[in-house]
Amino acid sequence: MIKNISLLGATGSIGRQTIEVAQVLGITISALTAKSNVELLEEQCRRVKPRLAVCMDPGAAESLRVKLADTDIKVSSGMEGLIEAATLPGTEAVVTAVMGMVGLRPTLAAIEEGKHIALANKETLVCAGELVMRAAQVKGVEILPVDSEHSAIFQCLQGCRDRGEVKRLILTASGGPFFGRKREELEAMTVSDALKHPNWSMGAKITVDSATMMNKGLEVIEAMRLYELPLEKISVVIHRESIIHSLVEYCDNAILAQLGEPDMRLPIQYALTWPRRAPGPAKPLDLLGCKALTFAPPDEVNFPCLSLAKEAARTGGTATAILNGANETAVGDFLAGRCGFMDIPRRVEKALRTVKAVQEPTLDDILAADAEARRTAEKA
Ligand code: NDP
Ligand code: MG
């Protein structure tokens, strides 16, 4: 079991639950980071007593420094601060729970220092999965999935001796708050409609991604990178109840699944205790009390983000970074009231059609593709 972590994105939904899990397991948290939520970060610092606290926003870091003046916690800021937290000497693993591709450079820096990665931040793998997985292989570090579907697959793959025996991965999707709706109705959906997820309580960006189904598209790419499987071996099934978190179908047609209450504390904990298990705070599943389990195909006509993500995966190279950069920008604009719900797929599609994808990209190619995709999506 991992004994000492840095936690990037501590004030978010995954970050807060990671602190809870780590404290139950007796894991030391040496660094906490946030973007600008100084109030919560101060409270967490007083509870967790890390060596380092980081705010991405320099003004917020200054105010945190004043608030923590009576402690010996060092306060840093910006991308340098995030990288300092990710590479802190003495920590074994970094939990990457920041929102967005801002997590990429700290993740690469952590791998370079030989830290294991408990990865919630899927945007990093979508943008630069091949770079990240290659770096991890070279350094011999583990990329342990926190995303519930990928954790379920990881759990179902324990004991699999030959990846060639895997016929297909089946990612389950709740379908989000707009399951069953048609395109015309979706045009009118507001921010508060999109933030009403039926089964999970998560940060705003991923909740909107669930409503557009982009979240499942990002997860298909995340699964391709984590498990080194082609797009054809990954399928998506709508499972409204979010009890089966994903499945692996083997070549003999055996299907293994992981079930549980929708509670992120279980996959967070498994990433930290792997290859062992431990009692923890996640809710037990009452099989006799749970609803009937249902399955349906995804609707890629009314929810075009899933097919846009598959198209980017097929194109390869920087196309997935273009998809992600445009999506982060469009979702940010939707949340700020600057565009409509269906402008999200429209803007992503425009970026995919406009920005040229580069094959076998370097980190600089990926950062450039992300920047150009954001500019294109903004102007759409
Ligand atoms: P939240 O929005 O709740 O939290 C995001 C965290 O990242 C906060 O600590 C936030 O700080 C910080 N942050 C945001 N933007 C930046 C930035 N530009 N620079 C530095 N730090 C930043 O997100 P979630 O916890 O929901 O999601 C985090 C990641 O985990 C995402 O990649 C998401 O896709 C993934 N994930 C989440 C799941 C969930 O259940 N929530 C499930 C599976 C995956 P501040 O609070 O100061 O803004
Ligand atoms: Mg997920």
Side-chain angles (χ1 to χ4, degrees):
M1 190 177 94
I2 288 162
K3 294 272 188 307
N4 195 319
I5 60 170
S6 284
L7 173 55
L8 312 186
T11 49
S13 160
I14 295 288
R16 294 190 305 267
Q17 296 179 82
T18 301
I19 293 177
E20 188 186 341
V21 168
Q23 291 197 318
V24 171
L25 294 174
I27 294 171
T28 304
I29 307 177
S30 295
L32 294 174
T33 85
K35 182 182 183 193
S36 56
N37 188 346
V38 174
E39 283 66 35
L40 181 54
L41 192 56
E42 182 200 0
E43 187 270 305
Q44 290 179 334
C45 283
R46 294 197 182 276
R47 199 151 36 96
V48 170
K49 302 186 174 55
R51 282 186 277 147
L52 174 69
V54 178
C55 284
M56 188 67 179
D57 178 57
E62 201 36 61
S63 122
L64 185 68
R65 206 167 280 127
V66 172
K67 285 177 186 288
L68 292 177
D70 62 320
T71 72
D72 52 10
I73 300 170
K74 182 181 176 195
V75 177
S76 298
S77 71
M79 182 52 78
E80 300 74 48
L82 231 54
I83 292 176
E84 186 184 355
T87 57
L88 203 64
T91 58
E92 288 167 76
V94 178
V95 179
T96 61
V98 291
M99 189 282 285
M101 86 90 84
V102 70
L104 174 57
R105 287 179 55 206
T107 304
L108 286 172
I111 294 171
E112 202 50 44
E113 288 302 311
K115 319 274 188 206
H116 300 301
I117 306 292
L119 185 129
N121 175 231
K122 65 190 82 182
E123 294 90 349
T124 283
L125 276 196
V126 169
C127 291
E130 279 143 340
L131 276 189
V132 169
M133 296 308 290
R134 206 178 314 134
Q137 217 162 28
V138 169
K139 286 286 171 182
V141 305
E142 302 291 343
I143 308 289
L144 300 154
V146 168
D147 210 347
S148 57
E149 296 77 1
H150 304 76
S151 173
I153 289 166
F154 185 57
Q155 294 178 55
C156 296
L157 285 173
Q158 299 298 310
C160 167
R161 293 194 170 77
D162 176 0
R163 202 53 62 78
E165 293 172 359
V166 172
K167 190 155 106 187
R168 116 185 125 114
L169 309 180
I170 306 166
L171 297 176
T172 52
S174 72
F178 303 149
F179 175 71
R181 304 268 192 151
K182 298 286 170 255
R183 242 184 141 106
E184 310 73 66
E185 298 173 87
L186 292 173
E187 294 283 357
M189 292 302 149
T190 65
V191 171
S192 79
D193 296 328
L195 290 181
K196 282 182 205 127
H197 196 282
N199 305 340
W200 297 96
S201 159
M202 311 180 285
K205 191 263 181 180
I206 183 175
T207 306
V208 174
D209 284 346
S210 300
T212 61
M213 292 289 290
M214 180 59 93
N215 184 48
K216 216 44 59 179
L218 300 178
E219 290 184 354
V220 167
I221 301 168
E222 184 184 10
M224 289 170 66
R225 303 298 178 242
L226 277 171
Y227 303 113
E228 295 179 74
L229 289 170
L231 184 61
E232 305 71 60
K233 288 197 169 190
I234 298 165
S235 45
V236 172
V237 64
I238 302 287
H239 167 54
R240 294 291 286 158
E241 299 77 24
S242 299
I243 296 293
I244 298 182
H245 297 302
S246 279
L247 314 91
V248 176
E249 183 174 23
Y250 284 91
C251 56
D252 57 0
N253 294 330
I255 294 184
L256 268 57
Q258 186 250 324
L259 283 73
E261 283 286 342
D263 185 333
M264 286 307 298
R265 292 172 300 182
L266 175 60
I268 292 168
Q269 170 163 317
Y270 190 66
L272 298 174
T273 61
W274 175 86
R276 303 292 304 270
R277 290 183 184 269
K283 288 190 273 301
L285 172 65
D286 173 13
L287 274 178
L288 298 180
C290 81
K291 292 178 240 168
L293 305 182
T294 62
F295 305 95
D299 172 359
E300 295 186 34
V301 175
N302 292 295
F303 295 84
C305 283
L306 180 54
S307 51
L308 289 170
K310 289 185 190 167
E311 178 190 323
R314 251 178 243 112
T315 307
T318 52
T320 53
I322 295 166
L323 172 95
N324 181 73
N327 184 58
E328 282 191 32
T329 302
V331 172
D333 280 351
F334 172 68
L335 284 169
R338 290 193 289 267
C339 73
F341 184 72
M342 290 308 279
D343 289 327
I344 299 171
R346 275 195 283 274
R347 287 172 181 218
V348 171
E349 181 168 9
K350 181 173 178 216
L352 280 177
R353 304 274 175 272
T354 317
V355 184
K356 194 173 164 352
V358 175
Q359 295 299 325
E360 291 182 32
T362 61
L363 179 59
D364 284 345
D365 293 331
I366 290 165
L367 297 174
D370 171 71
E372 202 183 337
R374 284 170 195 266
R375 281 194 297 274
T376 309
E378 253 167 29
K379 278 187 279 171

